[in-house]
Amino acid sequence: LAQYGIAFEAHAKNLTLIHRQGWPEKIVLRDIHENTLYGKDFLSSEMRVAKPHIVDPFINDDATNNSYTVENIKYLRDFFMSSTYVYNLSDLSFRLEKNHAYAETFFWQMIKEKLSDYQNSGVTETADINRINTSDETITVESILQKKIKNGSTRENYKHQVSNTLASSQQTGIRAAQ
């Protein structure tokens, strides 16, 4: 999302955690062709020239005729963060604490450190990273249960706000304190 301006949503069964000697290093998302969004004004210059459909041919070249294009970077951020952080990594952090005595606070501190390392790496412009604003106090997530309870149609959206563990105001432990 930060480097190319494309947001992917992958459910936990399609998220693979790559680790080295037990320490997470990368996340690989798969089976995402139906859940890909981008903002034309946020696409990297190379993607604006190349067109997003080269990343995944499923994306129609004329994106104005489908629902892959969004206008609001906050929507892209929430779309990605709700899937990756709220639904996938929070489940992983919970299971690590429950089954392996690895405190969630240390897990989220590590995530913050990795995001900081990425920002300092120079791979992506700091201005683009800042536009995403991963440290907002809340993240908007889809309320799937509420939609089912209210028997909502596929066109109805039910949403609510959740606290963002990555927010500056959220205190997470330091690994050295462990």
Side-chain angles (χ1 to χ4, degrees), residues 149-164:
I149 290 170
K150 294 185 177 182
N151 200 21
S153 74
T154 55
R155 293 179 185 234
E156 290 178 285
N157 287 317
Y158 294 90
K159 298 178 180 191
H160 66 275
Q161 300 290 310
V162 297
S163 294
N164 180 6

Side-chain angles (χ1 to χ4, degrees), residues 4-164:
Y4 296 106
I6 301 172
F8 301 108
E9 178 186 50
H11 301 284
K13 66 181 182 181
N14 294 320
L15 185 138
T16 303
L17 182 64
I18 307 296
H19 57 89
R20 181 178 296 173
Q21 297 177 346
W23 289 102
E25 284 196 338
K26 297 179 183 180
I27 297 173
V28 178
L29 308 176
R30 63 184 179 92
D31 194 25
I32 54 177
H33 66 277
E34 294 176 0
N35 295 316
T36 304
L37 295 176
Y38 66 92
K40 285 185 179 179
D41 69 325
F42 194 65
L43 286 174
S44 66
S45 57
E46 60 197 84
M47 289 306 294
R48 272 188 234 118
V49 172
K51 305 279 186 197
H53 71 282
I54 66 162
V55 174
D56 186 340
F58 186 82
I59 300 174
N60 185 339
D61 188 26
D62 184 13
T64 59
N65 293 328
N66 60 43
S67 60
Y68 295 106
T69 306
V70 298
E71 299 296 323
N72 186 334
I73 186 65
K74 184 180 182 318
Y75 182 80
L76 281 176
R77 177 195 75 109
D78 287 342
F79 177 76
F80 173 78
M81 288 184 70
S82 65
S83 171
T84 305
Y85 294 98
V86 176
Y87 295 118
N88 292 311
L89 292 180
S90 63
D91 187 47
L92 176 61
S93 69
F94 172 78
R95 290 178 188 279
L96 286 171
E97 182 168 77
K98 181 179 177 188
N99 299 318
H100 302 287
Y102 188 81
E104 283 190 80
T105 54
F106 298 128
F107 177 88
W108 289 108
Q109 180 61 35
M110 180 183 59
I111 296 295
K112 285 182 177 182
E113 289 170 8
K114 292 294 181 184
L115 289 171
S116 179
D117 290 349
Y118 179 79
Q119 183 164 355
N120 293 331
S121 73
V123 171
T124 301
E125 293 292 325
T126 300
D128 288 340
I129 293 171
N130 290 340
R131 279 182 70 190
I132 296 169
N133 197 10
T134 58
S135 61
D136 269 357
E137 294 296 318
T138 60
I139 300 169
T140 304
V141 297
E142 186 177 6
S143 300
I144 298 169
L145 179 61
Q146 183 181 31
K147 186 175 190 174
K148 286 192 182 287
I149 290 170
K150 294 185 177 182
N151 200 21
S153 74
T154 55
R155 293 179 185 234
E156 290 178 285
N157 287 317
Y158 294 90
K159 298 178 180 191
H160 66 275
Q161 300 290 310
V162 297
S163 294
N164 180 6

